[in-house]
Amino acid sequence: MRQWREARASAADAASASAADAAWYERLRNIVPDDVDVCGLMSAGDMEAILGQQLETITFSRSSYEAGTKIWLQCQLDLFEGTPYEVFPANALEIGYGFRPRDPGLMEEVSAYPDVSGVREVSADGLEGQGVAYYVSQAYHLDWHYPDDYEISLRMDKDYGASPEDPTDTVLIPLLQRITTTVHTAASGPTQNDTVYPPRPTTLPATPTSRTPGTTPERNITGTDDHPATPRLPPAPPGPQPHTLAEPAPHHHKPVNERTPLWRV
């Protein structure tokens, strides 16, 4: 099977049907450039190679509690469920990380979720702890509980028009193994509210406006006064991260049926 990056490049090079097609391919390639950092976990190019899909937007937040002794991270990736090259089964991926002591255990809790199916224990080479994969609410989940009571949760939302295709072994476990070495460092930085890439556009008036001194300027109806464009996320940091697969960073998770921050307390 061709690698995603090679397939994407080949498709762009072969886009000779029309100038419009060529422009569309080029736009997809540049929505999230390869060197953009994805939530402190890896570069966009590496993430796309694992997922096999084009990133559309990245939303990242992190914080700490209990005097900074506990940390959490949430990373939301919106994906192109359809591209000029193939049609893929997912339209979003959520990554959650935080501290979660468990009683009862992970398998017992997951098995009790309403409408859950396909519950099974999974293993990942080089990782200590317990992993459980399952399907609920049109999404595939993988939760991994580490011996230090941190947990990672991965949720991949299936596109409604796609046929069932469990991504646990082909996508979620390789992703888990990769981010084990970076997620604790990514979650350990200063508090960061939702940061979005690409930045939200700011709509400017078509013509300059004037106002009487002492009056309040008219608000932008798009609400960008309250939500200004966020800065571009920096390139991914070079070099290896401090944790290894043999000594995993702390991790945390719980299944999420609504898109709310996973680890706030």
Side-chain angles (χ1 to χ4, degrees), residues 160-177:
Y160 281 92
S163 59
E165 182 180 334
D166 187 345
T168 300
D169 296 327
T170 56
V171 176
L172 297 182
I173 289 179
L175 177 61
L176 170 70
Q177 291 173 306

Side-chain angles (χ1 to χ4, degrees), residues 113-138:
Y113 295 154
D115 302 321
V116 69
S117 63
V119 179
R120 61 186 175 100
E121 285 202 74
V122 297
S123 61
D125 291 343
L127 298 188
E128 295 180 346
Q130 181 186 29
V132 176
Y134 55 100
Y135 181 82
V136 67
S137 299
Q138 287 288 314

